[in-house]
């Protein structure tokens, strides 16, 4: 009976408690049946006591044979069902699973087989459920979950799903098997937190995904002062269950502080994840309160430093960039003074150096140190990939982004940056395939919609891009990244007045110039580079308005020479290096042949390096045409512009100021034919675009 039940119940995916009930009933009944069978016998006249039956009249042999035949028959049926399930149903199920796997949002190279989740030691820490009466205590439960996740992530042989993807299932009653497949893990930790006054009850249970087996569970009733000990106990207990040797000589010890400080720190971290100006300002206030209680708690200083960077007017806030940088550096320095190997502080320093010192190699060093200590810092992975892009390591960057995507596929900056890496490499279809896979998990998400817009922009589908950017803008009007790309779409469709209403500064600089508002454009451009922003648009405005001496003066007063400029703006990210082209133009117009040759040499070297890394997109090819035109190689310039137009590029052929470097190509039959084709395609896109909403937007 147990064997038959096991085979049938397992294959119809019955809940595990059904088999447990059957097992319990049989266990209770077995000794009773033994006694009953010993004392009684079934005869043709009915049931009699065994002692009253004449041995010569006994039919136990016959009934025994019937029982044997019955058991054999039932077992035969079970074997037939097992064979049917194994060789017919399972084959069909595997085929369906393989088909479904093609649509999963975790993309795998075809030549590399995906390892089965069972083959690795992996875990997802779901957000613990807040069982307290106060819903505001959600942050505390989330913080406990995250601290345990961070502790587990320090074990090198254990794959831990990223925070964003794990927390995407918060409040959802999803099947654990489905969660395990989405997050690609074979274990899940879930639990609950009940906080009352200075007492806390934490319950945690470790579950095996494939069969729902509860490997371990425990409950702690403690004073809040013991919260750090509880976190370490939970982390260590999990590792014991996942094979104790994984722990090795690695110590899981949470940095300790005053209970109130810790609560404020946890709440602030949750606010920082939200990435809005209001949430970041709240986080800064909470962290300052935490530091006022415990001025030696390094993690609070580290997070405060990160918050100030993000509150700069070039990110999510309104603090002047220079002031934000000073506040950030002061707090991160203090964190590292208190705890030199604090991963959060090292990651924050990497972000600071990137934003305010613009020293990419130095930033990479800090970020690598942070990730060696805590690989689960998904933001640090994102920042590191961006720095690798900046120094031209495009292949290493995309590999890191794919690895981070595997760990935390629902983290918005991760999939957004990975999609941009695919665009740089000319893999727009691959980017769309990845975004399609995310749709089911992030329906209506503004970031995801904007990412679709970016891919369509790079494909030259301006109308579709404009529709998607408008939709994302309606949902999140303050999202600076979406506004930047929206501005580019309007710029490339020559909607300069509308660009000034969307207000992404780097794009607006060029739009103002094309509208004839040159002085406004130059004031805005000077302000941009003073705050450390990319100088390309500003240099383009200077060149298009023949301000060559002014360009050289800005360059040499701010960076002293081309070496200094190249250290900050290497132009190696896969989108060409037009800034160096504008510098070369300025030196040629001023008659400085030596510096012109130097700039051209750097321009070509950066383009060649990007090509060697596999970059292939219309921005890069237009930049290559820029170089060829400056080198008077007009045939090559036309060929590269033809390719750029086919890939989705548009250039303004009406405004007299636009792209003076390509003016010598006018009149060439090939160039005129390529331009006519590009203009016809642009006109088709313009017919499909809807600007009605934008015309009511007031610029700020």
């Amino acid at each position: 009976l147990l064997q038959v039940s096991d085979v049938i119940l397992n294959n119809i995916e019955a809940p595990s408690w059904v088999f447990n009930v059957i097992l319990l009933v049989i266990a209770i009944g077995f000794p009773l049946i033994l006694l009953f069978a010993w004392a009684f016998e079934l005869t043709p006249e009915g049931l009699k006591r065994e002692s009253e039956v004449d041995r010569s009249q006994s039919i136990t042999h016959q009934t025994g044979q019937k029982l044997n035949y019955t058991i054999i028959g039932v077992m035969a049926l079970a074997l037939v069902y097992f064979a049917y399930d194994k060789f017919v149903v399972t084959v069909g199920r595997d085929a369906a699973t393989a088909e479904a796997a093609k649509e999963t949002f975790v993309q795998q190279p075809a030549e590399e087989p995906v390892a089965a989740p069972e083959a690795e030691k992996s875990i997802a820490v779901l957000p613990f459920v807040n069982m307290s009466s106060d819903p505001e205590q959600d942050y505390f439960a989330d913080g406990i979950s995250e601290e345990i996740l961070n502790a587990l992530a320090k074990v090198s042989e254990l794959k831990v799903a990223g925070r964003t993807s794990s927390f995407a299932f918060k409040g959802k009653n999803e099947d654990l098997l489905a969660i395990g497949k989405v997050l690609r893990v074979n274990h899940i930790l879930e639990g609950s937190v009940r906080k009352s006054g200075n007492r806390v009850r934490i319950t945690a249970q470790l579950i095996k995904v494939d069969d729902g087996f509860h490997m371990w569970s425990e409950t702690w009733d403690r004073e809040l002062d013991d919260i750090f000990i509880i976190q370490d106990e939970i982390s260590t207990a999990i590792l014991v269950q996942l094979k104790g040797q994984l722990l090795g000589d690695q110590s899981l010890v949470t940095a300790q502080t005053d209970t109130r400080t810790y609560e404020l720190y946890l709440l602030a971290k949750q606010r920082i994840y939200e990435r809005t100006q209001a949430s970041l300002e709240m986080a800064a206030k909470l962290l300052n309160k935490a530091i006022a209680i415990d001025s030696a708690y390094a993690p609070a200083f580290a997070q405060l430093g990160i918050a100030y960077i993000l509150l700069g007017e070039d990110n999510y806030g309104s603090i002047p960039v220079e002031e934000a940088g000073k506040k950030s550096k002061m707090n991160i320095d203090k964190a590292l003074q208190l705890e030199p190997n604090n991963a959060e502080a090292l990651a924050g320093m990497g972000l600071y150096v990137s934003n305010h010192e613009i020293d990419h190699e130095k930033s990479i060093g800090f970020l690598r140190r942070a990730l060696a200590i805590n690989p689960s810092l998904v933001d640090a992975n994102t920042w590191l990939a961006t720095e690798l892009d900046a120094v031209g390591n495009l292949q290493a960057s995309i590999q890191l982004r794919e690895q981070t995507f595997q760990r935390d596929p629902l983290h918005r900056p991760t999939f957004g940056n990975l999609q941009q890496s695919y665009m740089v490499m000319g893999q727009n279809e691959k980017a769309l395939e990845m975004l399609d896979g995310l749709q089911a998990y992030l329906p209506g998400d503004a970031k995801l919609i904007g990412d679709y817009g970016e891919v369509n922009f790079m494909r030259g589908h301006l109308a579709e891009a404009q529709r998607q950017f408008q939709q994302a803008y309606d949902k999140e009007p303050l999202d600076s990244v979406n506004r930047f790309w929206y501005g580019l779409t309007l710029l490339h469709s020559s909607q300069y007045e509308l660009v000034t209403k969307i207000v992404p500064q780097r794009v607006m600089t060029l739009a103002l110039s094309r509208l004839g508002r040159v002085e406004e454009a130059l004031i805005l451009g000077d302000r941009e580079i003073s705050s450390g922003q990319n100088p390309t648009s500003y240099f383009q405005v200077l060149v298009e308005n023949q301000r060559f001496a002014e360009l050289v003066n800005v360059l040499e007063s701010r960076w002293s020479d081309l070496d200094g400029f190249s250290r900050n703006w290497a132009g190696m990210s896969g989108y060409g290096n037009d800034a160096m082209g504008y510098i070369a133009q300025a030196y040629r117009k001023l008659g400085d042949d030596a510096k012109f040759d130097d700039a051209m040499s750097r321009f070509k070297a950066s383009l060649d390096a990007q090509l060697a890394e596999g970059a292939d997109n219309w921005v890069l090819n237009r930049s290559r045409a820029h170089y060829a035109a400056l080198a008077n190689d007009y045939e090559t310039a036309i060929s590269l512009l033809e390719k750029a137009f086919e890939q989705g590029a548009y250039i303004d052929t009406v405004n007299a100021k636009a792209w003076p470097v390509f003016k010598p190509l006018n009149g060439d039959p090939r160039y005129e034919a390529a331009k006519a084709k590009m203009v016809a395609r642009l006109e088709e896109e313009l017919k499909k675009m809807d600007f009605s909403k934008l015309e009511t937007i007031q610029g700020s």
Side-chain angles (χ1 to χ4, degrees):
L1 286 174
L2 288 175
Q3 287 178 324
V4 171
S5 299
D6 184 39
V7 170
I8 293 177
L9 293 176
N10 185 53
N11 283 284
I12 65 173
E13 297 184 356
S16 58
W17 63 263
V18 176
F19 184 78
N20 292 339
V21 169
I22 294 172
L23 179 63
L24 179 64
V25 171
I26 290 178
I28 294 172
F30 185 65
L32 300 176
I33 290 170
L34 281 179
L35 291 172
F36 189 85
W38 185 268
F40 292 88
E41 185 173 320
L42 187 64
T43 71
E45 291 81 25
L47 200 61
K48 294 183 178 180
R49 293 178 64 85
E50 194 274 339
S51 58
E52 298 174 356
V53 177
D54 185 348
R55 291 297 91 203
S56 63
Q57 302 296 317
S58 175
I59 60 169
T60 54
H61 177 71
Q62 298 174 32
T63 56
Q65 285 294 94
K66 290 178 181 178
L67 184 60
N68 288 341
Y69 293 147
T70 302
I71 292 172
I72 291 170
V74 172
M75 289 301 296
L77 288 173
L79 287 171
V80 168
Y81 179 83
F82 176 78
Y84 173 75
D85 179 80
K86 178 70 175 176
F87 299 107
V88 179
V89 177
T90 301
V91 170
R93 185 187 302 127
D94 289 346
T97 301
E99 186 64 28
K102 294 177 183 178
E103 301 177 5
T104 185
F105 61 81
V106 180
Q107 305 298 324
Q108 292 289 338
E111 66 274 12
E112 295 181 10
V114 182
E118 290 79 2
E120 60 185 352
K121 297 178 177 65
S122 54
I123 188 170
V125 180
L126 299 186
F128 280 28
V129 177
N130 172 29
M131 302 294 289
S132 307
S133 56
D134 181 5
E136 289 296 316
Q137 291 298 325
D138 269 6
Y139 79 88
F140 186 77
D142 288 350
I144 297 298
S145 312
E146 186 180 355
E147 289 298 300
I148 294 169
L149 183 154
N150 287 335
L152 294 173
K154 294 175 185 176
V155 180
S156 57
E157 295 180 47
L158 182 63
K159 175 192 169 186
V160 182
R163 177 197 183 277
T164 306
S165 297
S166 295
F167 276 49
F169 295 96
K170 181 177 179 177
K172 298 179 181 178
N173 190 24
E174 295 277 354
D175 177 68
L176 292 183
L177 182 60
I179 294 175
K181 286 181 178 178
V182 170
L183 300 182
R184 302 179 63 77
V185 296
N186 52 19
H187 299 90
I188 285 176
L189 179 75
E190 62 178 8
S192 63
V193 177
R194 184 186 298 275
K195 183 170 171 284
S196 178
N198 199 45
R199 297 283 297 175
V200 63
R201 168 175 288 184
I202 298 180
T203 299
Q205 51 190 2
L206 182 65
I207 300 165
K208 200 160 180 277
V209 167
D210 58 359
D211 58 8
F213 179 70
H214 284 57
M215 299 176 64
W216 160 85
S217 66
E218 193 161 339
T219 298
W220 291 263
D221 286 296
R222 301 283 180 82
E223 297 293 326
L224 271 176
D225 296 339
D226 295 333
I227 193 65
F228 307 104
I229 299 172
I230 297 173
Q231 290 171 2
D232 296 339
E233 285 180 5
I234 294 173
S235 305
T236 302
I238 292 165
L239 292 172
V240 169
Q241 294 300 319
L242 296 178
K243 303 299 182 186
Q245 66 268 23
L246 276 182
L247 187 57
D249 59 358
Q250 301 179 67
S251 176
L252 299 183
V253 180
T254 305
Q256 299 194 21
T257 183
D258 173 89
T259 302
R260 179 59 182 156
T261 301
Y262 187 59
E263 288 187 8
L264 292 166
Y265 162 78
L266 290 180
L267 179 54
K269 280 187 72 174
Q270 306 312 311
R271 294 293 176 265
I272 290 173
Y273 284 128
E274 295 169 18
R275 290 293 202 277
T276 67
Q277 181 172 343
S279 68
L280 288 163
E281 288 172 350
M282 174 61 74
K285 289 179 182 177
L286 293 167
L287 290 164
N288 276 310
K289 286 182 180 178
I291 289 167
I293 299 170
D294 184 353
S295 59
Y297 189 50
F301 282 102
Q303 289 298 328
L304 184 56
I306 291 171
Y308 278 131
I309 293 176
L310 298 176
L311 279 168
E313 60 184 358
D314 57 338
N315 282 302
Y316 300 92
S318 56
I319 300 177
V321 174
E322 188 175 350
E323 180 186 346
K326 287 179 180 178
K327 289 183 174 181
S328 170
K329 181 72 159 49
M330 179 181 69
N331 284 284
I332 294 172
D333 281 344
K334 180 64 175 177
L336 290 172
Q337 179 186 341
L338 291 166
E339 192 178 330
N341 289 320
N342 182 274
E344 296 165 76
L346 290 167
M349 185 59 80
L351 181 63
Y352 168 81
V353 169
S354 172
N355 278 256
H356 294 277
E357 295 182 7
I358 317 180
D359 187 331
H360 304 297
E361 293 292 353
K362 185 177 176 182
S363 174
I364 287 170
F366 279 114
L367 292 167
R368 287 197 189 282
R369 283 177 60 193
L371 290 167
I373 296 167
N374 186 353
S376 73
L377 294 177
V378 67
D379 280 335
N381 276 298
T382 300
W383 301 334
L384 176 58
T386 300
E387 294 305 288
L388 291 172
D389 270 342
V391 298
N393 291 339
L394 305 183
Q395 291 291 344
S397 173
I398 198 170
Q399 183 179 10
L400 176 60
R401 283 173 175 157
E402 286 179 332
Q403 290 170 353
T404 308
F405 182 71
Q406 292 282 337
R407 181 187 291 270
D408 203 348
L410 301 183
H411 183 244
R412 287 166 178 79
T414 292
F415 68 70
N417 287 334
L418 178 56
Q419 157 249 318
Q420 289 195 32
S421 286
Y422 288 146
M423 293 192 311
V424 164
M425 299 300 186
Q427 300 173 359
N428 293 322
E429 296 306 317
K430 191 171 184 179
L432 288 173
E433 186 180 357
M434 178 192 68
L435 297 177
D436 287 344
L438 294 166
Q439 286 265 37
Y441 305 97
L442 299 169
D445 183 77
K447 170 63 179 168
L448 185 61
I449 295 168
D451 285 343
Y452 272 110
E454 292 175 24
V455 180
N456 281 314
F457 170 78
M458 290 300 294
R459 297 164 76 204
H461 299 176
L462 296 185
E464 183 65 11
Q466 186 260 341
R467 183 188 68 79
Q468 289 162 334
F469 288 135
Q470 179 65 56
Q471 189 179 353
Y473 183 89
D474 290 342
K475 289 174 176 286
E476 297 287 349
L478 298 180
D479 186 321
S480 59
V481 174
N482 185 65
R483 290 171 67 176
F484 170 76
W485 284 91
Y486 199 173
L488 282 179
T489 302
L490 297 172
L491 186 75
H492 282 255
S493 54
S494 301
Q495 304 298 314
Y496 302 130
E497 192 65 48
L498 292 177
V499 171
T500 65
K501 295 182 178 182
I502 293 296
V503 205
Q505 292 183 354
R506 280 183 286 161
V507 184
M508 197 206 293
T509 305
L510 195 54
L512 288 170
S513 174
R514 299 275 172 87
L515 288 168
R517 296 157 61 179
V518 178
E519 293 307 319
E520 289 179 69
L522 294 178
I523 291 170
L524 181 59
D526 183 69
R527 192 171 74 194
E528 288 171 4
I529 66 164
S530 295
S531 64
Q533 295 187 47
N534 191 313
T536 303
S537 294
Y538 182 38
F539 285 0
Q540 185 173 0
V541 169
L542 290 168
V543 165
E544 291 189 356
N545 288 281
Q546 301 184 50
R547 305 283 189 101
F548 305 114
E550 194 171 335
L551 191 157
V552 170
N553 181 60
V554 169
L555 170 71
E556 295 183 349
S557 62
R558 183 167 182 81
W559 290 281
S560 73
D561 57 21
L562 287 178
D563 283 336
F565 180 79
S566 295
R567 277 194 296 273
N568 281 178
W569 303 104
M572 302 287 280
S573 63
Y575 286 124
N577 191 1
D578 284 319
M580 191 61 71
Y582 299 132
I583 292 170
Q585 282 177 265
Y587 280 131
R588 182 167 70 179
K589 289 291 184 180
L590 295 174
D592 193 330
D593 293 338
K595 289 185 178 178
F596 169 75
D597 290 341
D598 186 10
M600 287 291 283
S601 175
R602 294 170 188 269
F603 193 4
K604 185 175 188 305
S606 70
L607 294 172
D608 289 346
Q610 291 169 80
L611 286 170
E613 285 286 311
D616 182 19
N617 58 79
W618 65 257
V619 184
L620 173 62
N621 287 316
R622 187 192 63 190
S623 192
R624 293 171 66 202
H626 185 173
Y627 171 82
L630 283 175
N632 299 322
D633 185 355
Y634 297 144
E635 287 299 313
T636 299
I638 293 171
S639 296
L640 288 167
L641 284 172
E642 286 175 333
K643 182 176 182 180
F645 292 156
E646 288 171 5
Q647 290 176 313
Y650 299 97
I651 62 172
D652 189 335
T653 60
V654 177
N655 194 296
K657 293 180 178 180
W659 290 104
V661 70
F662 297 136
K663 299 300 183 189
L665 308 180
N666 288 336
D668 184 283
R670 280 178 59 209
Y671 182 55
E672 294 298 334
K675 276 199 305 183
K677 223 166 139 183
M678 178 267 293
V679 170
R681 197 174 74 248
L682 176 59
E683 288 175 349
E684 286 299 312
E685 290 296 318
L686 286 170
K687 289 177 186 176
K688 297 182 283 185
M689 295 173 83
D690 177 14
F691 302 109
S692 57
K693 287 187 178 181
L694 275 177
E695 289 166 358
T696 65
I697 293 174
Q698 297 300 313
S700 58

